[in-house]
Amino acid sequence: MSIYTFSDLTKLALPDSIALIGASEKPESIGGRTLDNIVQHSQYKGRLHLVNPTRQTIHDMPCFPSVSAIDDPVDVALITVRADHVLPSLRECAAKGVKFAIIQSSGFGEVNEEGKRMEQEMLAIARASGMRIYGPNCPGLNNINARLGMTFSPAFKLDLMPGPIGLATQGGGMGRTVLQAMARGMGTGLWFSAGNEVDLEVSDFIHYMATASDIKVIAANIEGVRNGPKFLEACQHAARQGKPVVALKIGKSEYGAKAAASHTAAISGSAEVNSAVFKELGVVEVNDIDELIDTAALLAHGKPTGKEKIAVFSYSGGTAAFAADQIGAGDLELSTFGEGTLAKLRDCLPSFAAMNNPVDTTGAVLADPEIGYQSLKAIAEDADVGMVFYPIPFDYGRDTDIAAQNAVRVKSEITKPLMMAWMSDKRGLGHQVLVDGGIVPAASMTNAVHAMKRFIEYGQWQSSVDAAWVPSLLNAKPAHVGAIRTATEAEGKALLREFGVQVPSGIVVQDRDTAAQAFRTLAKSVVVMKIVSSHITHKSDIGGVKLHIASPEQVQTAFDDITAAFAQHAPGIPFEGVLVEEMQTETFVEVVVGIHRDPVFGHVCTFGLGGVSMELYKDVSRRLLPLTPKRAREMIDETRCAQLLKGYRGKPAMDVDALVQTLVALSDLVTQRSDELDELEINPLAVLRAGRGVVALDAVLTLRGKE
């Protein structure tokens, strides 16, 4: 059950009636360009009303002095007036009962604090009236499949190739870059670009396009996610509808995050957490615009299974070998041709051609076009081939044109994806043949392989995803408001024990004699002693930890040393005692588990090799809560340290089953107490030999709002 009510954006994307507020005859003004795009370059069949209090007509079209004077319901108000006139216009629209307002005007939150205050007032108008606001500081909305440009962009009339790609962006410039991929044959049917997202945001557009009948793939250019739960719901909705979401996230580096914040005032968030969330939701994350275009186009041409093996076809031996090398480097798999396919290739190719995958037809296909068609069709029909990769290394004039025609012909006769790369900077007629034939050629071998890898990975995610899993953030209680405090290690371990996590036996003592008695009570041959303090997290840094204590006398000496170090390094901090605890002497592998509250996506679990190894090698995996046994095991298996846990180079296997259970228990703890638990870290968590369990050797818990 959704915790959000997403608005139906049908009348935003294709309104029955539009009011253009700020309509103008000035061709270079925002109002003038928007009017020109709707009247001259769109095929809008609805009703257009012009609003300008200083004019009675514009281009022989009547003008209204205000929105309230329009004797007709208004679906969309296009606001193109100066920033200081926007709020009065919005109030009129709200009073009129306008469904949607698109604010193309700039000068708000992206500029200064006063602009942010004006945006808050916009949002208040929207909430009070039920009118939804798109923008401000945006280039408008382009419904290319319906040939409607509610935009001031002078490029609208140039970028009108319809298609199955739906695009949602925050910035306008890079969205236009995707639209202009029409030069490579990719049509974008619908483009939402909402600028500062004072109300409607990328999540709303993803949710809408998930059920739009003319959209097959959703592409997104994201500078920041404002509302984490809403984004999670929208992406899960798209996944349930079988609509892949391909996203380019800006703001991964510190430089990028600052630029994104200044551009759209977006929250950029942690790049690592964003990537982990995208992966969980099946959002295909890409690293540049080319990869976004290639991947979205490939996904629009077929539904992946995740098991696709690739056949390479080329008329250049070096190109074929390079392609196979790139496929291997990408951890993809070449198909193995059946005997029937090899027989067909022997019948049509010269004897000196390479017929096993990768296929090098040699230049014979350029001399006899039919050879190229027959051999390409033969490998495409092989049962072990899930995808065909056909790189064209150079333009060879008419011969390359014919090769491209054969590729288009084969594509029309098969259901498998045909990925092509045009590697030459010389764009001959053959390139246009591919574009006109519905093939979107990648600009390089590397780009093509990246797209194929993303395609296959999406299929693998679809085949393994648990459709019933719901992120805990969608059901989480609001976090307590109040002071944040760190629990002592003893308090934290007591809570872990309550949830079934194994911790060492220990006793908190206040003096040296009680410490000696604690040693006798524990009846262990060796103990560890630690300062107890809610103010000191890194106890060893101040001499607050003593290891390998083996007698009552050593316990007393260690107590004296710890309390002296505490007094020296932590003056003014109340003494809370010393923890005397059994020391782990069995063989174990040290891992770390951390769960922290991300400000956008809620609690995220991080797992990796313990000690300094996590910081040094960054060998970690991340998951949103809640964890299930399956998700916890996948989390472990993603790390390289999984090999150590399973037994490596003669080392014993460790208790991975107990580790899985512990991860789930920690997830349950944080999920049940999400309103007060901000952060939990166990470092180290000792994973013992198989059958012996795991033990939390240290624990840091940060709580908020109440004791």
Side-chain angles (χ1 to χ4, degrees), residues 16 72 167 187 208 279 292 317 335 453 536 564 604 623 641 652:
D16 292 328
D72 185 37
L167 179 61
Y208 169 72
K279 185 175 181 180
L292 184 144
S335 54
K453 184 176 180 66
I536 300 173
V604 179
R623 288 289 188 282
C641 72

Side-chain angles (χ1 to χ4, degrees), residues 29-346:
S29 68
I30 294 179
R33 284 179 172 176
T34 303
L35 177 59
D36 188 54
N37 281 330
I38 295 174
V39 174
Q40 300 296 327
H41 306 300
S42 297
Q43 295 175 352
Y44 181 53
K45 298 178 175 60
R47 302 177 300 281
L48 175 63
H49 307 289
L50 308 187
V51 178
N52 188 324
T54 68
R55 302 297 301 271
Q56 291 187 333
T57 63
I58 294 177
H59 299 314
D60 297 325
M61 300 174 65
C63 272
F64 293 92
S66 66
V67 172
S68 58
I70 300 173
D71 187 20
D72 185 37
V74 175
D75 291 329
V76 172
L78 292 173
I79 298 178
T80 65
V81 296
R82 291 198 325 254
D84 57 330
H85 289 181
V86 167
L87 285 174
S89 297
L90 277 178
R91 293 188 189 100
E92 284 190 12
C93 290
K96 171 69 177 175
V98 172
K99 294 182 178 69
F100 300 96
I102 298 178
I103 306 172
Q104 299 186 68
S105 314
S106 300
F108 300 100
E110 78 282 4
V111 175
N112 54 31
E113 290 302 316
E114 173 59 17
K116 292 179 182 178
R117 186 200 64 76
M118 294 171 71
E119 287 186 351
Q120 289 302 308
E121 194 166 344
M122 292 178 196
L123 184 59
I125 293 170
R127 294 291 181 265
S129 65
M131 177 178 66
R132 304 307 306 268
I133 295 177
Y134 178 115
N137 183 34
C138 73
L141 194 158
N142 295 259
N143 189 336
I144 298 169
N145 283 346
R147 190 68 178 266
L148 173 59
M150 294 181 283
T151 175
F152 62 81
S153 173
F156 170 72
K157 62 181 178 291
L158 306 174
D159 303 330
L160 289 173
M161 182 178 178
I165 307 298
L167 179 61
T169 68
Q170 289 161 322
M174 293 182 72
R176 178 66 59 182
T177 303
V178 177
L179 254 65
Q180 293 182 348
M182 57 183 285
R184 283 205 273 138
M186 189 180 87
T188 301
L190 188 58
W191 176 29
F192 295 95
S193 182
N196 292 6
E197 295 184 314
V198 72
D199 179 24
L200 291 171
E201 54 192 86
V202 164
S203 300
D204 293 284
F205 310 140
I206 290 173
H207 190 274
Y208 169 72
M209 289 189 287
T211 52
S213 60
D214 58 337
I215 300 301
K216 292 183 179 179
V217 177
I218 302 165
N221 178 15
I222 299 172
E223 296 176 10
V225 176
R226 294 179 178 277
N227 186 318
K230 193 174 186 180
F231 183 80
L232 296 177
E233 281 213 40
C235 292
Q236 285 203 310
H237 178 61
R240 287 191 291 267
Q241 301 301 318
K243 296 284 182 76
V245 178
V246 184
L248 173 62
K249 174 69 174 68
I250 298 172
K252 290 186 175 182
S253 70
E254 182 180 352
Y255 295 138
K258 288 180 179 178
S262 63
H263 182 53
T264 63
I267 300 170
S268 292
S270 160
E272 293 82 8
V273 170
N274 274 293
S275 293
V277 171
F278 285 1
K279 185 175 181 180
E280 291 237 61
L281 298 174
V283 174
V284 182
E285 186 174 15
V286 296
N287 296 311
D288 63 30
I289 287 287
D290 267 349
E291 191 179 350
L292 184 144
I293 292 165
D294 295 333
T295 304
L298 187 58
L299 283 164
H301 286 150
K303 291 187 177 296
T305 65
K307 299 177 181 179
E308 284 81 4
K309 297 179 184 178
I310 302 169
V312 174
F313 179 89
S314 183
Y315 48 79
S316 161
T319 302
F322 182 39
D325 193 37
Q326 290 291 296
I327 287 169
D331 292 325
L332 303 178
E333 188 175 356
L334 290 174
S335 54
T336 301
F337 298 150
E339 183 54 39
T341 301
L342 293 172
K344 290 177 184 177
L345 293 177
R346 285 192 291 267

Side-chain angles (χ1 to χ4, degrees), residues 680-700:
L680 177 158
E681 181 177 283
I682 302 177
N683 186 14
L685 178 65
V687 186
L688 310 181
R689 294 191 183 197
R692 299 286 295 163
V694 300
V695 183
L697 300 184
D698 197 359
V700 177

Side-chain angles (χ1 to χ4, degrees), residues 24 151 229 257 284 307 427 463 482 566:
S24 173
T151 175
V284 182
K307 299 177 181 179
R427 300 287 176 88
S463 65
F566 176 76

Side-chain angles (χ1 to χ4, degrees), residues 300-447:
H301 286 150
K303 291 187 177 296
T305 65
K307 299 177 181 179
E308 284 81 4
K309 297 179 184 178
I310 302 169
V312 174
F313 179 89
S314 183
Y315 48 79
S316 161
T319 302
F322 182 39
D325 193 37
Q326 290 291 296
I327 287 169
D331 292 325
L332 303 178
E333 188 175 356
L334 290 174
S335 54
T336 301
F337 298 150
E339 183 54 39
T341 301
L342 293 172
K344 290 177 184 177
L345 293 177
R346 285 192 291 267
D347 286 344
C348 64
L349 292 178
S351 59
F352 49 84
M355 299 178 203
N356 287 305
N357 199 9
V359 174
D360 169 22
T361 64
T362 75
V365 298
L366 303 179
D368 185 346
E370 191 62 21
I371 291 178
Y373 165 73
Q374 291 176 2
S375 53
L376 180 59
K377 182 73 177 294
I379 69 168
E381 291 178 335
D382 187 275
D384 198 48
V385 172
M387 183 187 306
V388 179
F389 179 35
Y390 186 174
I392 293 182
F394 50 77
D395 179 56
Y396 226 42
R398 179 178 178 276
D399 293 335
T400 313
D401 303 344
I402 293 172
Q405 291 169 10
N406 284 333
V408 171
R409 181 181 171 189
V410 170
K411 178 185 176 295
S412 69
E413 297 172 351
I414 63 174
T415 57
K416 299 173 184 178
L418 172 59
M419 184 75 207
M420 299 195 69
W422 186 277
M423 300 167 62
S424 174
D425 285 338
K426 184 178 179 182
R427 300 287 176 88
L429 177 61
H431 186 274
Q432 192 60 45
V433 168
L434 297 178
V435 169
D436 293 342
I439 296 174
V440 182
S444 74
M445 185 85 74
T446 301
N447 289 0

